[in-house]
Amino acid sequence: KQEVTQIPAALSVPEGENLVLNCSFTDSAIYNLQWFRQDPGKGLTSLLLIQSSQREQTSGRLNASLDKSSGRSTLYIAASQPGDSATYLCAVRHRTGGATNKLIFGTGTLLAVQP
Amino acid sequence: DVKVTQSSRYLVKRTGEKVFLECVQDMDHENMFWYRQDPGLGLRLIYFSYDVKMKEKGDIPEGYSVSREKKERFSLILESASTNQTSMYLCASSQTSGRAPLNNEQFFGPGTRLTVL
């Protein structure tokens, strides 16, 4: 059974610091991995999608890497800002052999960037 | 721009009531999903649909049913609401793998915070 873990559960950093969020998964048979951001009481916003054949994806100050063999992904945020404060979720699309598109989510890292 | 909308942001219902949560997407996506999100448990899949009138159970379907009569609309139904169904409900949609094998991102709606008293 695929399980997704995110460590740490919460993180507080001063503004301007570079930081790394971690995501690990137990089964390397994944189709892709997606990072989301969730603001309090809101839905999820997709940040980056990495296909299983890729090693990393970049969008602005965000860089996500994927090491499928070790079951790990990291989300790197450069020059953090107070507006980056949110919960960050990773999710893997597990290869089930079918046409379905189920994502399995981690429980998230709550990030607070202090001004 | 991609858009998934949900009928209500906040909803308060009484135990035993029948509750309908509506989700609409304007991206012509085949797949639609209903999740619930609870502290410490993360997002859990309730039901999903990969075509009109098609549905499959997710990980926690008990106490719920769904309806997909049109491609753009996916409804979650609580036949008889209970207090343990108080939660944040999130709808999502995605393109099917066959048509877009390299890009099947899920796009989420804003969520409905349901409280059952």
Side-chain angles (χ1 to χ4, degrees):
Chain A
K1 182 187 172 188
Q2 178 73 273
E3 292 182 0
V4 181
T5 305
Q6 291 185 249
I7 295 173
L11 183 63
S12 180
V13 301
E15 182 177 3
E17 194 162 297
N18 302 325
L19 60 99
V20 174
L21 306 180
N22 296 296
C23 173
S24 60
F25 46 96
T26 55
D27 190 334
S28 62
I30 66 168
Y31 192 87
N32 55 41
L33 183 144
Q34 199 166 351
W35 281 94
F36 295 89
R37 169 190 172 130
Q38 185 176 30
D39 294 290
K42 303 283 181 65
L44 276 65
T45 301
S46 179
L47 297 174
L48 290 163
L49 173 76
I50 311 178
Q51 301 296 339
S52 61
S53 58
Q54 296 175 322
R55 298 284 292 182
E56 64 179 306
Q57 282 284 337
T58 298
S59 176
R61 294 183 294 108
L62 305 180
N63 176 277
S65 68
L66 175 64
D67 184 342
K68 203 174 63 168
S69 61
S70 67
R72 292 183 183 181
S73 175
T74 61
L75 180 67
Y76 175 83
I77 303 177
S80 58
Q81 303 169 358
D84 294 331
S85 299
T87 296
Y88 290 81
L89 296 159
C90 74
V92 299
R93 183 182 180 228
H94 189 54
R95 282 189 182 273
T96 62
T100 57
N101 195 8
K102 292 166 62 173
L103 285 180
I104 300 170
F105 285 83
T107 51
T109 294
L110 176 61
L111 173 66
V113 181
Q114 309 298 333
Chain B
D1 235 8
V2 159
K3 196 143 187 198
V4 179
T5 56
Q6 294 182 228
S7 51
S8 305
R9 290 300 313 279
Y10 300 94
L11 210 51
V12 180
K13 296 291 182 181
R14 298 210 171 272
T15 302
E17 279 192 75
K18 189 168 186 176
V19 182
F20 292 87
L21 303 183
E22 304 285 341
C23 175
V24 177
Q25 50 95 6
D26 65 358
M27 298 160 285
D28 200 36
H29 284 170
E30 286 83 3
N31 304 320
M32 295 188 75
F33 308 81
W34 275 107
Y35 296 88
R36 66 177 281 177
Q37 184 178 29
D38 301 286
L41 297 176
L43 273 86
R44 294 178 291 168
L45 182 64
I46 305 171
Y47 266 98
F48 64 101
S49 168
Y50 50 89
D51 203 351
V52 175
K53 296 191 186 294
M54 305 300 287
K55 60 185 180 185
E56 281 199 29
K57 294 179 180 179
D59 300 317
I60 51 163
E62 297 79 18
Y64 303 95
S65 62
V66 290
S67 172
R68 188 142 181 228
E69 297 296 319
K70 293 185 178 181
K71 190 176 185 180
E72 67 271 17
R73 188 181 297 270
F74 192 35
S75 303
L76 180 69
I77 304 156
L78 287 66
E79 295 289 342
S80 179
S82 64
T83 55
N84 63 13
Q85 292 179 309
T86 292
S87 186
M88 171 71 118
Y89 289 88
L90 292 161
C91 173
S93 73
S94 71
Q95 187 66 279
T96 201
S97 298
R99 187 177 296 179
L102 296 183
N103 187 8
N104 46 15
E105 278 182 271
Q106 287 199 9
F107 297 92
F108 281 76
T112 296
R113 171 75 64 184
L114 172 67
T115 301
V116 183
L117 302 175

